[in-house]
Amino acid sequence: MSVLQKITSEDAIALEDKHGAHNYHPLPVVLQKGEGVFVWDVEGKKYYDFLSAYSAVNQGHCHPKIVKAMVEQAQTLTLTSRAFYNNVLGKFEKYATETFNFDKLLPMNTGAEAVETALKLCRKWAYEKKGIAENQAKIVVCENNFHGRTTTIISFSNDPVARKNFGPYTDGFIKIEYDNLEALKIVLENNSDIAGFLVEPIQGEAGVYVPSEGYLAGAKALCEEFGVLFIADEVQTGIARTGRLLATCGNCSCADKHCSGTPEVKPDILILGKALSGGAYPVSAVLANDPIMGVIKPGNHGSTFGGNPIAGAVGMAALEVVKEENLAQKAFDLGELFRAELSKFIADCNIVNAVRGKGLLNAILINDTEESSTAWDICMALKENGLLAKPTHGNIIRFAPPLVMNKEQLLDCVAIIIKTLKQFEK
């Protein structure tokens, strides 16, 4: 079958069902085009995208500057491996480290790869710098986390769907309750072999759980007190999604095209992915300062594609778009409007219990059980009304549109969401 041959939605779904592994349960819509905040299916119906490829498309679908950078680099040099230098990687590393205020960047491709890289980096630092006995280092993680689905990562997941029947599991992790500083303090006080604390500034996959004010700063202070590395997984929350360049930026100002205020938390290790590429090409990275990143030597870690010229060109363009179009401030302003408008509706309805989030990473909690189909049914109805979203954890619907959305479009989407929710009022 030619890739140019037209195909119906029904045929495309049937092909995936027959020839592809069934490791996803997609909404039954087959997309063929995207531009800005919109996507179109193969029959030509237009939708607002309210998932943004799990926040990978913060800069909007097919942003012309990012696509141009990708195409131009692809026509010149695509891949050298790291056996040789290329003329793009160093420029990207310089641009990104200056943007996020770190000494060094280690490039990878996917978010899960970047998390694995951070875990390895943290452990090696613990043995060589902190003096923990070899193979004894432990990393503290949070319950209901989502950092990917590699064997190591699912070892400290408590999601039975991601975890069951994939053992034996990797040791070396201690799980504590999210948003609980006392739990973190107890673990650190009673274990001398803790190397790091890995945390999502907002738990996205768990249902957009925003921690209490001061939690991240308090956790970082505890890490500093006990000589433990604070590792921030900003794969989903980073690159302006939450109204700041990074979610760990707290309440500083991003109005001047970049994060110019004092960060609430400066991670010891920062993990980025998804929107680092604008959704155009797999790009992820781990950033740290020299005393930490310096433990990595030739042969310790790598990736054939990590740091390739296309990734470097795309990564720079993606970050430039965030700054030039002031997307962090847009996300902050539109997020405030989104939650305010939905809160008005929720005050007098019975189908939604709450709306929560930061910036343009938000969720609504449906008034039904996790085992019910209500959230899925609402998303199916939203699709019919021209807006695409997806449930998470059964009764939660996550809303995360591209950050290039304008006020008029956002209010149009709010109207669609409210109209749809009214259909399900009990």
Side-chain angles (χ1 to χ4, degrees), residues 31-212:
L31 304 176
Q32 69 168 352
K33 177 186 173 183
E35 182 179 338
V37 300
F38 297 109
V39 287
W40 288 260
D41 66 20
V42 293
E43 282 79 29
K45 183 174 179 178
K46 182 180 179 182
Y47 306 87
Y48 283 105
D49 178 2
F50 251 60
L51 190 61
S52 300
Y54 298 103
S55 296
V57 193
N58 287 0
Q59 299 88 339
H61 287 277
C62 299
H63 193 288
K65 178 167 184 168
I66 300 173
V67 171
K68 182 174 184 287
M70 180 173 64
V71 171
E72 287 182 353
Q73 185 59 50
Q75 292 173 331
T76 306
L77 180 67
T78 59
L79 182 65
T80 62
S81 83
R82 296 297 301 279
F84 312 107
Y85 290 93
N86 67 67
N87 66 330
V88 182
L89 177 57
K91 296 176 185 177
F92 170 54
E93 290 170 332
K94 180 178 186 292
Y95 191 85
T97 52
E98 289 178 350
T99 297
F100 298 105
N101 192 27
F102 284 91
D103 294 335
K104 293 286 193 294
L105 178 149
L106 198 164
M108 297 299 287
N109 308 286
T110 68
E113 281 183 296
V115 172
E116 290 272 1
T117 300
L119 296 175
K120 289 178 67 177
L121 176 61
C122 179
R123 285 172 170 170
K124 198 163 194 294
W125 170 87
Y127 300 134
E128 298 181 7
K129 298 291 186 177
K130 187 174 180 178
I132 294 177
E134 190 173 356
N135 296 324
Q136 298 304 308
K138 294 180 176 60
I139 295 174
V140 180
V141 298
C142 293
E143 294 172 350
N144 300 317
N145 69 75
F146 184 83
H147 299 285
R149 293 190 181 92
T150 64
T151 303
T152 296
I153 293 170
I154 63 163
S155 296
F156 54 84
S157 169
N158 59 310
D159 179 356
V161 176
R163 181 179 165 89
K164 185 174 173 58
N165 291 333
F166 291 111
Y169 305 111
T170 306
D171 291 329
F173 300 96
I174 300 174
K175 278 189 286 190
I176 63 171
E177 185 180 23
Y178 184 67
D179 195 19
N180 187 332
L181 288 176
E182 185 61 26
L184 177 60
K185 183 179 180 182
I186 290 170
V187 165
L188 296 178
E189 286 177 335
N190 291 280
N191 293 273
S192 60
D193 52 4
I194 303 295
F197 174 50
L198 172 65
V199 65
E200 299 162 90
I202 296 172
Q203 287 192 327
E205 194 68 20
V208 190
Y209 281 98
V210 181
S212 305

Side-chain angles (χ1 to χ4, degrees), residues 3-29:
V3 294
L4 299 179
Q5 182 179 334
K6 288 189 176 181
I7 188 171
T8 66
S9 291
E10 184 179 61
D11 289 340
I13 292 170
L15 280 171
E16 284 200 31
D17 187 62
K18 181 177 180 179
H19 300 287
H22 295 176
N23 57 323
Y24 278 90
H25 179 45
L27 212 66
V29 58

Side-chain angles (χ1 to χ4, degrees), residues 84 137 221 290 314 330 339:
F84 312 107
D290 286 331
V314 166
K330 284 193 71 174
R339 289 184 296 278

